Amino acid sequence: MGDSRQKSAPKQGTQCPPIATACQWLSTTTGRIASDGHTWMTAVHWAADPEEKRYIPTSTHGPRGMNATTLLIAQECANLKECRPGIEYLVRKLRISERTVEYHLGMLREAGLLVYRTKGGRVAQGRDEASVYERVVPLAFDEEHGIRTIGEGVHRRPVGAADTARKALGNLARKAARKVRRPRRRTPVSGQGRCTLMEGGSTGTSSAGGSIPPSETKLASGHSSHPTPKKAHRGPQKLNKVGRRHQLARQLIDNVPWLSRASAPRIAWIARHCADAGWQWQEVQAAAEEAGPIDGMDSRRPSGLLAYRLKGVHELYASTKARHLMLTAWEDSRLRERIRHQGWDGPAAVIPGQATDTAAAAMDDIRAARQTQAVSAADLAGATEHPQGDTNIEALTRAEVLEHRAFAAQDPTYVRNLLNGLGDRDTRRLLTNKLVDQALVLLRLNTTELSPAF
């Protein structure tokens, strides 16, 4: 590669023209890549000089030019090994708004100081990818200071400068070496003057002697307003991450029997992953008791048992749908256990020859219980024997309807017989959807016993 030395006489007051959007890429820029962050900051201070006003933004909104915030953002970019300043990182580091960061990064690109190597955007799973920049020294900077370069394209490197520009380059280098700090606030936070007079001394006169007294009409009026009125709090405050953890811990201690003696801070720390993922206390209990029921008398250390049972469950049930299915399965298992303790679970298998006798005996028991509860024999017979449409459930009194529902809540086979006699529509009108669905679940769980009776 030949020596393509470029030399131009220094020009005073050279402007830094705005760079079009199409030329803000590494492949289309006319500048050269800065060798280090200090060299790049000299070009940034040159373009941001408030007296020369070399760069004027083309946007009609936002800052009217480069200022101290631009230098702060450029300083963070200069300290990065890979110039990949994320918007969230700059917002958190400099404590400024996201819109401000976007404005000043746009000005650095438009001034030819930053160019895209790769432009960021949304990638898989809705995550934002930060843009990768290259720190570039504009061509106008080299022309003004008579900098000679060798090489081609963006990989040119300086080999000298004009003698008349050495003083200006030294001043820029000293500015680049100093750390840029946030400018001090000029006005007080409250926006009001000082409360006490900065006067007085050893003189015998009062410092308030020259003050103007208030008007007589404003004395004791009772309508004075505070200069900084307090803002009324509207609604409850939103819980942060720690508050949500302690809320979940308190709910677990109040509702789960075997956790009633546990410590709330310890439970909050154990269930922290579940609380951060938005779990409810029912889902935490279901995940802990999924391996088997827990007796409060047997758990000497409930927090340790909970930590053992919850290990890795927030990763196993990461989605809301998976947690719902897990909670439904746990509720069904508890319902089946309650049915088994109440005696609904019969033998594991029923002899086929005894199916008819078993069904008939069940019907006899139902009829006897109905008579014991003083339910109308005609209505009950019609509800269980007549086909759909022959029974008028509107003729039943409220007391009879309540007796039907109370008996259906105790015996799922009674609901099954009503479904066969009245049909689904009238049965649900009589017993409510909740009782019918609950009975169907019980019958489905005990299908081994009850299937011959269908």
Side-chain angles (χ1 to χ4, degrees):
M1 181 173 60
D3 185 359
S4 57
R5 295 177 181 267
Q6 302 174 0
K7 181 178 179 181
S8 59
K11 300 178 182 180
Q12 299 296 331
T14 302
Q15 298 297 315
C16 185
I19 305 299
T21 305
C23 298
Q24 296 176 10
W25 292 82
L26 185 61
S27 58
T28 57
T29 182
T30 58
R32 55 182 174 87
I33 298 177
S35 58
D36 52 75
H38 180 267
T39 302
W40 184 66
M41 284 301 297
T42 59
V44 173
H45 280 279
W46 168 79
D49 191 350
E51 297 180 358
E52 296 291 339
K53 295 184 180 180
R54 294 185 174 89
Y55 164 72
I56 299 176
T58 59
S59 178
T60 57
H61 54 278
R64 298 182 180 180
M66 295 185 178
N67 49 32
T69 306
T70 312
L71 297 177
L72 283 172
I73 294 177
Q75 182 175 256
E76 295 296 330
C77 295
N79 294 332
L80 296 176
K81 183 177 181 181
E82 180 185 17
C83 191
R84 192 177 184 179
I87 301 295
E88 296 181 358
Y89 166 77
L90 293 175
V91 168
R92 185 177 63 254
K93 188 70 179 294
L94 302 178
R95 292 180 294 177
I96 55 180
S97 66
E98 181 178 344
R99 178 67 68 181
T100 302
V101 174
E102 294 175 353
Y103 278 142
H104 290 277
L105 286 178
M107 287 193 296
L108 289 174
R109 292 195 306 269
E110 199 176 45
L113 297 167
L114 283 180
V115 294
Y116 287 114
R117 179 177 287 273
T118 58
K119 192 171 183 179
R122 289 191 178 276
V123 295
Q125 300 178 356
R127 183 169 56 88
D128 289 339
E129 188 75 14
S131 300
V132 181
Y133 296 99
E134 279 292 345
R135 296 175 285 259
V136 176
V137 177
L139 181 61
F141 179 83
D142 294 344
E143 291 178 350
E144 178 172 338
H145 299 93
I147 296 178
R148 301 182 297 274
T149 60
I150 60 173
E152 297 293 339
V154 295
H155 297 287
R156 302 190 308 270
R157 56 188 181 90
V159 295
D163 295 337
T164 55
R166 295 185 181 276
K167 182 177 180 180
L169 289 175
N171 294 333
L172 292 175
R174 283 190 292 271
K175 290 181 180 180
R178 291 195 297 265
K179 184 177 181 180
V180 182
R181 300 187 181 276
R182 186 184 303 274
R184 181 177 298 178
R185 187 187 297 270
R186 295 182 179 180
T187 57
V189 177
S190 61
Q192 303 293 329
R194 293 183 179 271
C195 298
T196 58
L197 297 175
M198 301 299 291
E199 299 177 4
S202 58
T203 59
T205 60
S206 173
S207 59
S211 61
I212 301 176
S215 174
E216 294 292 336
T217 58
K218 296 182 180 180
L219 292 177
S221 61
H223 297 287
S224 62
S225 59
H226 197 272
T228 55
K230 295 183 178 179
K231 296 182 179 179
H233 295 285
R234 300 183 180 273
Q237 294 183 354
K238 185 178 180 181
L239 290 177
N240 57 7
K241 183 183 295 184
V242 178
R244 171 61 184 148
R245 293 175 180 178
H246 282 268
Q247 182 188 47
L248 180 62
R250 179 51 58 189
Q251 291 173 350
L252 287 171
I253 292 173
D254 293 342
N255 295 282
V256 181
W258 54 276
L259 286 176
S260 59
R261 297 179 290 106
S263 172
R266 186 178 294 273
I267 298 299
W269 184 83
I270 292 172
R272 64 190 185 279
H273 299 299
C274 298
D276 296 344
W279 286 43
Q280 303 297 326
W281 69 266
Q282 296 93 337
E283 297 172 346
V284 177
Q285 182 184 8
E289 298 181 3
E290 185 180 17
I294 299 175
D295 189 0
M297 301 301 296
D298 297 337
S299 58
R300 293 179 297 177
R301 189 185 177 196
S303 58
L305 180 59
L306 180 66
Y308 174 75
R309 291 289 184 93
L310 292 184
K311 185 177 181 180
V313 296
H314 64 284
E315 299 177 354
L316 182 61
Y317 303 107
S319 63
T320 306
K321 183 178 180 180
R323 296 200 300 269
H324 176 70
L325 294 176
M326 179 265 297
L327 179 61
T328 304
W330 173 75
E331 290 176 346
D332 291 343
S333 65
R334 293 192 64 182
L335 184 61
R336 186 177 180 85
E337 181 184 0
R338 185 170 64 252
I339 296 170
R340 183 167 60 253
H341 286 298
Q342 292 177 355
W344 287 110
D345 280 350
V350 178
I351 301 175
Q354 299 177 352
T356 306
D357 298 337
T358 305
M363 292 296 296
D364 293 339
D365 294 339
I366 293 172
R367 292 190 182 93
R370 288 200 299 265
Q371 294 175 359
T372 304
Q373 296 180 5
V375 183
S376 174
D379 293 338
L380 292 176
T384 55
E385 296 174 3
H386 293 293
Q388 182 177 359
D390 296 343
T391 303
N392 185 14
I393 62 175
E394 302 293 343
L396 297 176
T397 63
R398 177 173 178 79
E400 292 174 346
V401 172
L402 294 178
E403 290 177 354
H404 277 281
R405 293 177 180 177
F407 193 68
Q410 300 174 4
D411 188 356
T413 57
Y414 176 65
V415 180
R416 180 191 61 191
N417 294 331
L418 287 179
L419 288 172
N420 294 334
L422 295 177
D424 183 76
R425 177 175 173 272
D426 289 339
T427 303
R428 290 181 180 273
R429 289 179 59 196
L430 177 62
L431 302 179
T432 70
N433 292 328
K434 180 179 179 181
L435 289 176
V436 174
D437 293 338
Q438 181 179 0
L440 292 177
V441 171
L442 296 178
L443 292 172
R444 185 166 57 253
L445 292 176
N446 296 272
T447 181
T448 305
E449 176 188 356
L450 299 176
S451 58
F454 280 98

